[in-house]
Amino acid sequence: METSNNTQVSGFLLLGLSKEPKLQPFIFGLFLSMYLVTVFGNLIIILAVSSDHHLHTPMYFFLSNLSFVDICFTSTTIPKMLWNIQTQRKVITYEGCITQMYFYVLFAGLDDILLSVMSYDRYVAICHPLHYMVIMSSQLCGLLVLISWLISVLYSLLHSLMVLRLSFHPSVQIPHFFCELNQMVQLASSDNFLNNIVIYFAAALMGVGPFTGILYSYSKIVSCISKISSAQGKYKAFSTCVSHLLVVSLFYFTALGVYLSSTASHSSHTSTIVSVMYTVVTPMLNPFIYSLRNKEIKGALKSLYLTPSIKDQLY
């Protein structure tokens, strides 16, 4: 019989990215900068979309939701890591660890599903342009986002409840900068076989399902574009998908890197470094990818910067 109990666990130790004291100021400055850029960049996208009525379309509605999720995604891990470095304390409570893990899984799942929804939006826009606003009505867009949230909440809740059934030793060191699901399951003192089965099965559903939807949407898009006679028409149609394709590639390659490093590599340091790409770098680059390649976003950013109220204040 297992004698240890979850109630005996007061907290965990987050070992972070490095044990070297000399590197802590550099790590703090680097991650603070990346976090501020991530929050500011995604917030600018949300403000630009909400302030410009020309961007009140399904595509930019989903983009603003993605930006909001990216802000929340990074905010579940980075502020706690920065606080630990600043206070030179690595402790996180058991409740805090479970909460952090829950929201991390929640927003990672939302990112995944929203990218699939955005690919469907691009499919309708390119393959059914005349019926685009009819098909992608405000009711359908709101329903798709609501369903995305419900699926992600249930997905995250499942993993959290599965972790709550595990027992841990009184002093557990997590070789990571946040409470990562797989790390917590592997560090449990009780039997984690069922947890591993649920992790792989749920990851397959959440990974393969949305990714299959993306592949199907783009197979239809490629088929539609190939039927366009003029080269200029093909380029114009494909250019509306480039930003989304870049974000999808970045998301899935880094997610695959996290999965492979956690299963194939015995080095926790390698897994941590790959997680940085997935957790911090990807949400930070998303607004740049969309804004640098999108003339409408650029125009909205310029109008947001040069609003009449600001001009009045200047003069």
Side-chain angles (χ1 to χ4, degrees), residues 71-84:
I71 292 174
C72 297
F73 187 37
T74 54
S75 297
T76 59
T77 56
I78 304 304
K80 176 59 180 175
M81 187 193 75
L82 296 175
W83 176 259
N84 286 353

Side-chain angles (χ1 to χ4, degrees), residues 23-313:
L23 289 177
Q24 298 308 309
F26 171 74
I27 294 174
F28 180 86
L30 177 63
F31 275 81
L32 177 61
S33 301
M34 289 194 295
Y35 178 66
L36 292 177
V37 169
T38 301
V39 172
F40 181 74
N42 284 287
L43 189 60
I44 286 295
I45 294 291
I46 295 172
L47 292 174
V49 172
S50 60
S51 63
D52 193 335
H53 70 278
H54 294 102
L55 300 183
H56 292 176
T57 62
M59 174 184 173
Y60 294 108
F61 171 71
F62 295 131
L63 177 58
S64 60
N65 275 274
L66 182 68
S67 295
F68 172 74
V69 170
D70 281 340
I71 292 174
C72 297
F73 187 37
T74 54
S75 297
T76 59
T77 56
I78 304 304
K80 176 59 180 175
M81 187 193 75
L82 296 175
W83 176 259
N84 286 353
I85 294 175
Q86 185 66 22
T87 59
Q88 297 183 354
R89 297 182 68 233
K90 299 181 178 181
V91 178
I92 184 171
T93 63
Y94 175 76
E95 294 80 6
C97 199
I98 296 295
T99 303
Q100 186 184 64
M101 184 199 68
Y102 171 83
F103 283 107
Y104 176 83
V105 175
L106 168 65
F107 293 120
L110 265 172
D111 256 345
D112 189 19
I113 299 175
L114 282 175
L115 288 174
S116 179
V117 170
M118 292 172 75
S119 70
Y120 174 72
D121 171 75
R122 291 298 83 208
Y123 154 70
V124 176
I126 293 174
C127 299
H128 305 283
L130 298 178
H131 301 94
Y132 175 67
M133 295 307 298
V134 177
I135 298 174
M136 300 302 296
S137 62
S138 57
Q139 291 84 357
L140 178 61
C141 293
L143 182 62
L144 288 174
V145 171
L146 178 61
I147 292 174
S148 301
W149 274 92
L150 288 175
I151 294 174
S152 300
V153 165
L154 292 175
Y155 173 69
S156 184
L157 185 62
L158 170 64
H159 285 305
S160 299
L161 292 176
M162 291 298 296
V163 171
L164 285 173
R165 62 179 288 274
L166 297 175
S167 299
F168 298 89
H169 292 299
S171 58
V172 175
Q173 295 183 346
I174 301 176
H176 223 307
F177 62 93
F178 67 97
C179 296
E180 199 264 336
L181 173 63
N182 191 61
Q183 291 280 354
M184 290 192 66
V185 171
Q186 303 311 317
L187 292 170
S189 59
S190 56
D191 182 28
N192 60 9
F193 176 75
L194 183 59
N195 288 73
N196 286 321
I197 294 297
V198 171
I199 287 175
Y200 293 129
F201 181 73
L205 287 178
M206 285 293 289
V208 175
F211 187 65
T212 302
I214 292 172
L215 289 179
Y216 177 79
S217 295
Y218 274 100
S219 66
K220 293 292 185 179
I221 289 172
V222 171
S223 177
C224 290
I225 292 177
S226 63
K227 296 176 182 178
I228 300 175
S229 57
S230 66
Q232 185 178 0
K234 290 182 179 180
Y235 173 79
K236 185 177 179 180
F238 182 74
S239 63
T240 63
C241 304
V242 173
S243 296
H244 180 258
L245 276 174
L246 289 174
V247 171
V248 166
S249 301
L250 188 62
F251 178 85
Y252 277 101
F253 275 122
T254 53
L256 182 63
V258 171
Y259 174 77
L260 293 177
S261 64
S262 62
T263 55
S265 175
H266 297 287
S267 172
S268 59
H269 182 70
T270 302
S271 177
T272 304
I273 295 300
V274 177
S275 293
V276 171
M277 290 291 297
Y278 179 69
T279 310
V280 187
V281 177
T282 299
M284 181 181 68
L285 292 180
N286 285 353
F288 291 99
I289 293 173
Y290 272 102
S291 60
L292 291 176
R293 294 196 55 86
N294 194 301
K295 293 181 180 179
E296 292 179 320
I297 289 289
K298 289 180 181 178
L301 292 176
K302 289 178 181 178
S303 63
L304 181 66
Y305 180 72
L306 297 173
T307 55
S309 59
I310 295 178
K311 288 181 179 179
D312 291 339
Q313 292 176 9

